[in-house]
Amino acid sequence: IQIRAIEALALLGAAEAVPDIAAAIDDEFGQDLTDAGFKALARLGTPGVETLVGYLADGDERQRRRVAAILAGLTGSLAEEATSRALRDPARNVRVAAARALAARDPEDTRLLALFRDSSPAIRAFALENIGPRFPEWIERLLGDRSHLVQRAILDLLAAKHGLLPRDAVLDW
């Protein structure tokens, strides 16, 4: 019932319900309303996005991951700034969630280029797999990466897309 009520409030655009939705999300003795609540907050304009940004700053890793994915799917300066922060979050899973949602919304977003330089091999591999073909110069730069995850992602790309890199670069690799 609570999930349906939260969904209805979002459908009605009841921005005045933002504090109540946040309280329902935070109720540790109640039903887990995180997913429905975060989605509803995203639909309630600036007050909802401001509340989501608060979860990104103060939430546990699981909440930050969920919020990052939602915020990265939104436009607007507040959501864009929060997405930039999520892409630099200390937790790899938060960065991946933000990157995945941002790449789905706008695969040409230049903030995604930072993924190729991420300290986590899993994120560099993710970048290659998801946006690598759009940025072949980064594939070539990562040829020397020692991570087996990155090397496998490069091999998969080269096998799937012939001519993605200059022949000499591949032969020298």
Side-chain angles (χ1 to χ4, degrees):
I1 293 176
Q2 287 179 306
I3 291 174
R4 296 275 190 230
I6 288 172
E7 290 171 348
L9 289 168
L11 187 63
L12 293 170
E16 64 275 7
V18 166
D20 295 322
I21 293 171
I25 291 168
D26 294 337
D27 183 2
E28 62 185 77
F29 299 110
Q31 179 180 0
D32 182 5
L33 302 171
T34 308
D35 283 335
F38 286 168
K39 288 175 185 173
L41 290 171
R43 295 177 63 188
L44 292 175
T46 301
V49 173
E50 287 173 346
T51 301
L52 288 171
V53 170
Y55 283 107
L56 185 63
D58 299 329
D60 61 24
E61 182 178 333
R62 181 173 157 255
Q63 282 186 334
R64 291 195 326 271
R65 178 178 43 85
R66 289 177 172 179
V67 169
I70 290 171
L71 288 170
L74 301 175
T75 57
S77 62
L78 190 57
E80 297 286 356
E81 289 169 20
T83 298
S84 293
R85 283 197 312 276
L87 289 167
R88 296 185 310 271
D89 193 275
R92 179 178 55 91
N93 289 334
V94 174
R95 296 193 309 272
V96 167
R100 183 170 281 127
L102 182 58
R105 181 174 62 84
D106 183 5
E108 303 295 326
D109 192 303
T110 57
R111 291 175 292 177
L112 293 169
L113 294 174
L115 301 175
F116 291 113
R117 296 183 303 271
D118 197 277
S119 62
S120 168
I123 292 192
R124 294 192 305 276
F126 169 85
L128 286 164
E129 294 161 355
N130 289 274
I131 60 171
R134 288 182 174 81
F135 303 101
E137 67 278 10
W138 278 100
I139 299 170
E140 194 167 351
R141 288 181 192 177
L142 289 172
L143 286 174
D145 194 301
R146 294 181 184 262
S147 165
H148 71 281
L149 294 172
V150 172
Q151 294 296 307
R152 179 174 180 204
I154 291 171
L155 285 171
D156 289 345
L157 278 174
L158 294 177
K161 299 207 180 241
H162 296 287
L164 194 57
L165 294 180
R167 186 173 186 265
D168 290 343
V170 176
L171 291 175
D172 290 343
W173 181 37

